[in-house]
Amino acid sequence: KFQAEADRLRAKEKEVYGRDRPELERGLDGVKKALRTLKEYYASGDDAKHDADGGGAGGVIGMLEVVESDFSKQLAEIIAEEERAQREYDTLTKENQISKATKDADVKFKSKEATELGKAVSETQGDLSSVNAEYSAIMEYWSQIQKTCAAKAEPYEVRVKTREKEIEGLKQALDTLEGQTSLVQRRVTHRTLRGAGPRHMQISK
């Protein structure tokens, strides 16, 4: 918007310059021609005629020289003003171009950054969904394990009584085993004594 306003103002200035400069140049050229003509006329050899017109000639030539000076000055001023305005316009346009290029690059970079950030967010959300799914599966498996363990686990009192019964059974088995071992030993001893009796008697004879 600012550049558009500068373009409009520069176009208007160039329009005025394009109109005024030719007019000043034509006026200056006309004054120069008039001065040249008068100077040539008064430089001719007709002294009688020159003496008759000489009183007003010097004033006319002097006036035309002042007009020539004014035209030259105005022409130089508008040329200098046009050159200055053009330089300022060129500088401003260049700065605006640089500023626009910088902003465009910044917008492009931010757009790219936003796109990459959006992609990263999407990937993160995908990873989070996957993790949540895995977590849900683990918790479901853990819940099933807890249900299984809860179904199989016996109360403490039941486990104690079961253990006591097992210990009592082991004691009874041990007592039974010890009784059988004692009985076997007695039988072996008795048999040994019965087998050794006659031999002792024979030795005595």
Side-chain angles (χ1 to χ4, degrees), residues 9-22:
L9 180 61
R10 180 83 278 264
K12 186 175 181 180
E13 291 173 343
K14 290 186 74 172
E15 180 183 357
V16 173
Y17 174 75
R19 181 193 64 212
D20 291 347
R21 178 172 178 173

Side-chain angles (χ1 to χ4, degrees), residues 95-137:
E95 290 176 352
N96 287 338
Q97 289 175 347
I98 294 174
S99 177
K100 184 177 183 302
T102 301
K103 290 180 180 179
D104 290 344
D106 187 51
V107 170
K108 183 177 180 180
F109 173 77
K110 288 182 178 179
S111 298
K112 181 180 179 182
E113 190 177 37
T115 301
E116 292 178 351
L117 181 60
K119 182 179 179 181
V121 170
S122 298
E123 291 176 352
T124 301
Q125 289 176 343
D127 293 341
L128 181 60
S129 298
S130 178
V131 170
N132 287 335
E134 292 179 2
Y135 176 76
S136 298

Side-chain angles (χ1 to χ4, degrees), residues 181-196:
T181 302
S182 176
L183 178 60
V184 170
Q185 289 178 346
R186 286 198 299 271
R187 287 179 180 178
V188 170
T189 302
H190 178 71
R191 288 177 181 176
T192 301
L193 293 175
R194 289 179 60 187

Side-chain angles (χ1 to χ4, degrees), residues 157-171:
E157 293 81 2
V158 175
R159 293 200 304 272
V160 171
K161 289 181 180 180
T162 300
R163 180 62 61 184
E164 289 178 350
K165 289 181 180 180
E166 291 176 353
I167 293 173
E168 183 64 26
L170 290 173
K171 287 182 178 180

